[in-house]
């Protein structure tokens, strides 16, 4: 006889839906990290490598991505504390949405940095066009 039954402590078992929600949340969050965050970071890295003077906030993006994935991990860990299937699925979906949002987030500072760099380059290009036009008959 188990310790819990011997002393009158009987805890209800978790429904299978809670375990399925946890497993699905973990797998989809890992898929988002590999399928979305990986290519986004590769795009950001290649763009910053091509335009090294672009003002990109590395620290802010890093902290945001780490905090977002920590939030997703916390939501998934919270599933272990509950015994309600629908609530477990809500937490799993919230974890995946949080992971998806912070995976796409680095594109916004990159777009802002690229716009600032393009804004600085436009007067130079216009000046070159005017010089070439002045040389033509």
């Amino acid at each position: 006889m188990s310790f819990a039954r011997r002393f009158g402590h009987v805890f209800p078992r978790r429904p299978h839906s809670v375990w399925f929600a946890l497993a699905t949340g973990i797998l989809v969050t890992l898929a988002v990290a590999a399928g979305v965050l990986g290519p986004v970071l590769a795009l950001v890295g290649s763009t910053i490598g091509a335009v090294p003077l672009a003002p990109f906030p590395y620290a802010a993006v890093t902290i945001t991505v780490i905090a977002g994935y920590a939030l997703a991990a916390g939501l998934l860990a919270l599933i272990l504390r509950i015994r309600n299937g629908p609530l477990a699925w809500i937490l799993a979906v919230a974890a995946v949405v949080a992971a998806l949002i912070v995976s796409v987030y680095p594109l916004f500072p990159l777009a802002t940095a690229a716009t600032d760099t393009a804004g600085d380059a436009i007067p130079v290009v216009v000046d070159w066009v005017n010089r070439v036009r002045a040389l033509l008959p």
Side-chain angles (χ1 to χ4, degrees), residues 37-122:
L37 183 63
V40 165
L41 291 180
L43 176 68
V44 168
S46 64
T47 304
I48 297 301
V51 185
L53 299 178
F56 187 74
Y58 297 102
V61 169
T62 303
I63 290 170
T64 303
V65 170
I66 290 172
Y69 274 95
L71 173 66
L75 290 170
L76 291 172
L78 192 59
I79 293 175
L80 293 173
R81 302 288 298 155
I82 62 171
R83 287 178 166 71
N84 186 354
L87 181 58
W89 280 103
I90 289 170
L91 290 173
V93 169
V96 170
V97 168
L100 189 59
I101 288 171
V102 299
S103 293
V104 176
Y105 169 73
L107 293 176
F108 295 107
L110 177 67
T112 304
T115 303
D116 291 343
T117 304
D120 295 340
I122 289 175

Side-chain angles (χ1 to χ4, degrees), residues 1-10:
M1 182 176 265
S2 73
F3 176 80
R5 289 185 191 265
R6 193 176 311 152
F7 292 104
H9 300 290
V10 178

